[in-house]
Amino acid sequence: MKIAILTSGILPIPAVNGGAVENHIDFYLKYNDTHRLHDMTVFSIADPKTEGHPALRSEVNHYEYVEVRSLWAKVRKNLRHRICGEGYYHYTIEYYFHEAWKRLRKQHYDIILLDNRPGYAVGMDVPEGTKLHIYLHNDLLNSQTKGCREIYDKASRILTVSGYIADCVKTINPNDDKCRVVLNGIDLGAFSPRNNALVGTASKPGGSSASGSGHGNPPTVSRSEMGFSDDDFVMVFSGRITKEKGVTELIDAMIRLKDYPNIKLMIIGSPFYGDTADEDDFVRSLKQKAEAIMDRIRFTGFIPYSKMPDYLRIADIAVVPSLWDDPCPNTVLEAQATGLPIITTRRGGIPEEVTEANAILLATDDSFTDNLTAAITTLYQHPERREAMSAAALEHSKYYSKQRYAEDFFKALTM
């Protein structure tokens, strides 16, 4: 089949600037390149970092770039904004779509896939003989979405990253038969336990039983470099540092755990994707709140994705305290594959990613901070439970390989 992928217009493909969605696009493109299943063309914003990338040498995957940052592009964006108005999305994104669509429609494709931009379908004149598919990584298509019925009716198929997102779509049509759930996958080879041993198996309340890279390579970071000792009980939070991710409540829990000086917290990430800004007003407010316990907290800022496994291997447990309906966060899958017991919430698609055997799932009610504190204390005081959860995490993580993900993606897309 001849397939066009119209990406969101925010980050480039290949995923040289990171992004969970963009990494998954790379996964299925690499699978397609290896197995030569389809002729695929990806439309993406231009970025100098993609020049000379090995992926561009593929004979079956093709890359079309739209320049959105040059002076000329900015002039054209503003001109189009004045003439056409805002459009469905912000005018800068509409400019990218307009330029990509001009190129895309010159060729015949069997399938056009709108990746996490269902609103592009509004006003699209889909050519005869072409199927329009939509891939949803977030709750972007439900009964309250602008133009939801037009978007839904135009789509031949709708791929979603979780049953939670599929249920959101079904508010448009309870009898929906278009949705196909494709749970995310990760590189299990990269996210593996330290020295392929279980983590959190120390006989005392805190501390880890192994160190070093899961592949036998020298780790890019160590506990001592982060200011942690072998006796410390280290928790890790990774992801965008925003209010809805529950970081405030996690720091509140740390403050309540002042009588446990060996409980430490490592906060990995920045307010936005990539290394554009490690701090904003929210991050500064978190550091101010944590000022009295900063000897027990480390803010790493942005960490390149390739180095993330070694940072996770420092930890004894992972905490993913999402307060919003997180659709299918990769942070959960990455921690799980590294063998970390997880404390997280019953929000969005998170309960679909874990089991009761490897995760403590909390409600985000008025008692959330109290229950979060209690869960941390429980895992700190019971290494045998951490060991059992570690084993369960590793077993459950086997399903979430990038190969299984790519296979499921192409089945959902084309069958």
Side-chain angles (χ1 to χ4, degrees):
M1 286 188 178
K2 194 171 181 180
I3 301 170
I5 310 295
L6 189 55
T7 61
S8 66
I10 300 297
L11 293 172
I13 304 295
V16 292
N17 290 332
V21 173
E22 289 71 24
N23 276 304
H24 280 88
I25 295 174
D26 277 355
F27 285 165
Y28 66 68
L29 288 176
K30 186 173 183 180
Y31 186 88
N32 187 59
D33 184 56
T34 300
H35 297 277
R36 305 178 72 86
L37 300 176
H38 306 285
D39 185 282
M40 303 184 72
T41 302
V42 182
F43 291 82
S44 163
I45 63 166
D47 190 289
K49 293 180 186 176
T50 64
E51 295 176 8
H53 194 284
L56 275 60
R57 296 197 290 267
S58 172
E59 295 180 356
V60 292
N61 299 327
H62 316 288
Y63 296 80
E64 288 276 347
Y65 290 108
V66 176
E67 179 56 63
V68 297
R69 297 191 180 99
S70 68
L71 178 60
W72 178 235
K74 291 177 182 177
V75 170
R76 295 183 68 184
K77 278 186 212 175
N78 289 325
L79 181 61
R80 178 172 174 77
H81 185 211
R82 291 181 184 181
I83 296 173
C84 302
E86 191 69 16
Y88 191 93
Y89 296 112
H90 190 271
Y91 75 92
T92 55
I93 296 174
E94 290 290 331
Y95 170 80
Y96 159 77
F97 166 67
H98 175 74
E99 294 298 310
W101 180 239
K102 281 196 303 185
R103 298 189 209 174
L104 193 156
R105 66 189 307 174
K106 291 179 181 178
Q107 299 285 330
H108 169 75
Y109 293 97
D110 299 297
I111 294 172
I112 297 173
L113 179 66
L114 304 183
D115 200 284
N116 220 32
R117 281 280 184 261
Y120 286 159
V122 175
M124 278 181 68
D125 184 14
V126 182
E128 187 176 349
T130 297
K131 293 181 179 179
L132 181 67
H133 291 185
I134 295 172
Y135 193 3
L136 296 173
H137 303 263
N138 298 94
D139 177 15
L140 299 174
L141 183 59
N142 57 63
S143 60
Q144 303 304 308
T145 302
K146 181 174 68 173
C148 63
R149 195 73 223 191
E150 178 185 356
I151 296 169
Y152 181 86
D153 289 344
K154 282 189 174 182
S156 298
R157 189 160 297 172
I158 301 171
L159 282 61
T160 70
V161 297
S162 61
Y164 164 74
I165 297 297
D167 288 342
C168 294
V169 176
K170 290 174 184 177
T171 61
I172 302 171
N173 178 11
N175 299 315
D176 167 78
D177 61 358
K178 296 181 180 183
C179 285
R180 303 289 187 275
V181 176
V182 180
L183 293 173
N184 286 344
I186 61 170
D187 184 349
L188 295 180
F191 290 91
S192 58
R194 289 166 293 194
N195 294 333
N196 295 318
L198 295 181
V199 288
T201 57
S203 59
K204 52 191 171 183
S208 295
S209 61
S211 61
S213 168
H215 293 287
N217 298 320
T220 57
V221 67
S222 66
R223 278 199 165 208
S224 60
E225 288 174 314
M226 292 301 300
F228 302 133
S229 73
D230 290 341
D231 292 334
D232 285 334
F233 178 79
V234 180
M235 302 184 294
V236 62
F237 166 95
S238 63
R240 285 184 299 115
I241 304 179
T242 55
K243 186 176 181 179
E244 66 270 15
K245 292 290 188 176
V247 196
T248 301
E249 287 72 16
L250 180 53
I251 289 177
D252 284 339
M254 281 292 292
I255 293 171
R256 297 184 185 192
L257 292 164
K258 61 182 183 299
D259 292 334
Y260 298 91
N262 281 2
I263 297 181
K264 305 292 176 66
L265 173 62
M266 179 169 53
I267 297 177
I268 301 173
S270 59
F272 192 65
Y273 300 104
D275 56 357
T276 52
D278 278 347
E279 283 199 8
D280 63 357
D281 288 343
F282 179 67
V283 174
R284 283 186 283 273
S285 72
L286 290 177
K287 291 183 176 180
Q288 184 176 7
K289 172 187 278 285
E291 188 173 0
I293 55 168
M294 282 302 283
D295 60 322
R296 296 169 51 216
I297 298 180
R298 300 290 181 270
F299 287 84
T300 70
F302 170 77
I303 298 297
Y305 191 69
S306 61
K307 296 182 179 181
M308 277 299 301
D310 280 336
Y311 278 81
L312 292 182
R313 291 178 189 120
I314 287 175
D316 294 287
I317 69 169
V319 185
V320 187
S322 292
L323 300 178
W324 71 300
D325 290 322
D326 222 335
C328 188
N330 278 354
T331 51
V332 171
L333 302 182
E334 291 157 3
Q336 188 169 244
T338 314
L340 295 180
I342 300 168
I343 299 173
T344 187
T345 62
R346 297 185 183 278
R347 297 299 299 260
I350 294 175
E352 300 173 51
E353 298 180 280
V354 297
T355 70
E356 298 283 352
N358 77 290
I360 297 176
L361 290 153
L362 303 175
T364 54
D365 53 18
D366 292 341
S367 301
F368 176 56
T369 303
D370 290 336
N371 293 334
L372 179 59
T373 305
I376 294 168
T377 305
T378 295
L379 292 188
Y380 171 71
Q381 293 176 335
H382 294 91
E384 73 287 350
R385 182 170 180 182
R386 299 202 308 271
E387 182 175 356
M389 291 177 70
S390 232
L394 292 174
E395 183 62 31
H396 190 59
S397 72
K398 294 176 182 178
Y399 176 77
Y400 294 94
S401 70
K402 61 181 181 180
Q403 178 170 326
R404 188 278 312 161
Y405 161 75
E407 290 172 353
D408 286 358
F409 170 81
F410 282 113
K411 286 177 185 177
L413 186 70
T414 62
M415 295 177 67

